[in-house]
Amino acid sequence: MAVLVTGGARSGKSSFAEAYAERSGDSGIYVATSRIWDEEMAERVANHRLDRERSGFPWRTVEEPLDLAGVLAGIKGELDRHLRSDEARPPVVLIDCLTLWLSNWMFKLEEDGLPDKRLNEEYRKLAEAVEGYPYPLLLVTNEVGGGVVPAYPLGRRFRDEAGRLNRLMAQLCDRVFLVTAGIPVELKSIAFKWENL
């Protein structure tokens, strides 16, 4: 079952996703998409890793800024081969976060002079990997379209692409949580349905 957790910066979405994982499995695989660009980011990453260690929940961390589809395929293959039928619960995979993954791809496209359509190909690969992943999966993302319109073209494009990516992942996930001020609300259960009009 795939679950999407979204919210604004410092809304509590990652903490909620980690707590959800801890209640859904006996162990977890934390897929971190962040790149370390500077000292402040290195400190953030170190603090997040320390928080996971202190939680007492057994996390294995995988750092992957670009190839999320490949990571999911690799984990699926590993679990298919090694997961015993008598094991109560498979490890929960938590990907944190999709918007960092998106920004990594946007920078790569710009740096390498790749065509913009490559982003659609990466969306397709990720969507297929999420749809084909049979074990518990949590995806963390950011809501970035609720604020001020960015003043520069790349910022506007990022906002638009993040919205597209979030909509795609929400369609694929069984549950979608919006976390605001630390309060999670499950959106699919309260979503408007056209047949009720």
Side-chain angles (χ1 to χ4, degrees), residues 3-195:
V3 175
L4 182 68
V5 180
T6 188
R10 293 285 171 248
S11 63
K13 60 191 177 296
S14 292
S15 297
F16 171 74
E18 290 171 19
Y20 191 105
E22 291 172 13
R23 287 164 179 77
S24 303
D26 299 320
S27 64
I29 301 171
Y30 199 101
V31 181
T33 62
S34 143
R35 284 180 159 171
I36 298 175
W37 298 105
D38 55 33
E39 197 172 300
E40 186 268 342
M41 193 61 173
E43 188 175 324
R44 278 179 182 252
V45 168
N47 287 337
H48 283 298
R49 190 180 289 264
L50 189 58
D51 288 345
R52 289 194 300 275
E53 289 171 9
R54 287 179 179 155
S55 74
F57 185 73
W59 287 106
R60 178 179 71 162
T61 300
V62 176
E63 295 183 12
E64 178 50 59
L66 295 169
D67 189 16
L68 291 183
V71 166
L72 279 178
I75 294 170
K76 179 186 179 302
E78 176 186 320
L79 294 178
D80 287 348
R81 286 188 305 277
H82 301 295
L83 193 65
R84 299 187 319 263
S85 59
D86 63 333
E87 287 184 279
R89 300 187 289 185
V92 178
V93 172
L94 193 163
I95 296 176
D96 195 356
C97 82
L98 294 180
T99 41
L100 280 174
W101 172 81
L102 172 61
S103 64
N104 293 338
W105 267 108
M106 290 182 72
F107 285 131
K108 180 170 180 54
L109 294 179
E110 191 169 285
E111 289 168 5
D112 296 352
L114 297 170
D116 288 347
K117 65 182 179 182
R118 174 69 187 273
L119 203 49
N120 291 330
E121 176 65 15
E122 294 305 321
Y123 288 175
R124 184 193 60 75
K125 289 189 330 192
L126 180 59
E128 288 175 0
V130 168
E131 280 186 302
Y133 191 79
Y135 304 109
L137 174 63
L138 287 155
L139 307 166
V140 176
T141 191
N142 286 284
E143 285 299 315
V144 298
V148 176
V149 176
Y152 50 96
L154 185 60
R156 289 190 294 274
R157 182 162 174 255
F158 173 76
R159 179 202 56 185
D160 293 347
E161 291 297 340
R164 287 181 55 225
L165 177 62
N166 288 351
R167 286 173 45 198
L168 174 62
M169 291 299 119
Q171 288 173 344
L172 299 176
C173 289
D174 302 290
R175 302 179 89 181
V176 177
F177 289 92
L178 172 65
V179 182
T180 303
I183 301 169
V185 177
E186 203 285 307
L187 297 176
K188 283 201 167 182
S189 63
I190 60 172
F192 170 75
K193 294 173 180 54
W194 285 107
E195 58 270 19

